[in-house]
Amino acid sequence: AQTVTQSQPEMSVQEAETVTLSCTYDTSESDYYLFWYKQPPSRQMILVIRQEAYKQQNATENRFSVNFQKAAKSFSLKISDSQLGDAAMYFCAYRRDNAGNMLTFGGGTRLMVKP
Amino acid sequence: ETGVTQTPRHLVMGMTNKKSLKCEQHLGHNAMYWYKQSAKKPLELMFVYNFKEQTENNSVPSRFSPECPNSSHLFLHLHTLQPEDSALYLCASSQAAGGAPNSPLHFGNGTRLTVT
């Protein structure tokens, strides 16, 4: 079974600084997809960024980028120029290919942004 | 407007009560999901419906009974719950359960359930 591990229960960053959230996963599959979701106090899970395992290039969405290391099974999220609105729970998720939208989530990292 | 609306936002119920959670999506999606988010545990997939047909039941106890009358609505009927069932229940939708990740999940704001 696939597992997703987020080893940092909490992280803190100064406004305008950069922070990196860690995620590792365990799978025997070669084709799969990885996601980062943000859950603010409103509780709605919002997709931040996604990465296809067959793509070597790291995904980027504005201030958010990932460092995908397939051999190491690592998928970290970098947030640049952190803003107060970035404060939230962040969840890493895995989906194997042809598995519909059935995601396996990590335990989450709470990000605090200091003004 | 999130596109996926869940009601009620909060629910407190006794162990002998029967209640229902409602989810409605306005995105034209064909797949809907129930997830359970407990404190200090990762999100757990409970049920998946694809074109109104249940395609996944992740070993969920029978005291949780889902219903999907059409592609836009999803219910979770609750009866004789236990205190450990207290959690945030999140509904999500996507274009189709077998789709590529270009059809990402869209979540609602969840129902915070407390079983007393």
Side-chain angles (χ1 to χ4, degrees), chain A residues 70-106:
Chain A
K70 192 173 183 178
K73 296 180 183 176
S74 170
F75 182 61
S76 60
L77 174 69
K78 185 172 81 171
I79 306 174
S80 305
D81 186 25
S82 297
Q83 301 176 358
L84 295 178
D86 295 334
M89 285 290 294
Y90 286 82
F91 294 92
C92 179
Y94 164 99
R95 196 206 91 176
R96 63 180 174 86
D97 195 17
N98 296 321
N101 254 318
M102 291 179 285
L103 304 180
T104 300
F105 284 87

Side-chain angles (χ1 to χ4, degrees), chain B residues 30-47:
Chain B
N30 294 306
M32 297 188 77
Y33 311 76
W34 281 116
Y35 276 87
K36 177 183 179 182
Q37 186 176 18
S38 305
K40 301 182 181 180
K41 288 180 68 176
L43 274 82
E44 301 170 81
L45 177 67
M46 299 176 72
F47 301 103

Side-chain angles (χ1 to χ4, degrees), chain A residues 4 33 35 37 39 41-47 50 52 89 91 95 98-107, chain B residues 2 9-10 33 35 37 42-43 45 56 88 90 94 97-105 107-110 112:
Chain A
V4 179
Y33 304 90
F35 306 83
Y37 276 87
Q39 187 179 40
S42 68
R43 306 184 323 205
Q44 184 194 14
M45 298 280 282
I46 302 165
L47 178 64
R50 59 187 171 217
E52 292 89 342
M89 285 290 294
F91 294 92
R95 196 206 91 176
N98 296 321
N101 254 318
M102 291 179 285
L103 304 180
T104 300
F105 284 87
Chain B
T2 65
R9 189 163 173 81
H10 301 274
Y33 311 76
Y35 276 87
Q37 186 176 18
L43 274 82
L45 177 67
E56 184 75 19
L88 179 68
L90 289 164
S94 70
N102 288 331
S103 172
L105 289 175
F107 284 86
N109 289 347
R112 174 76 63 191

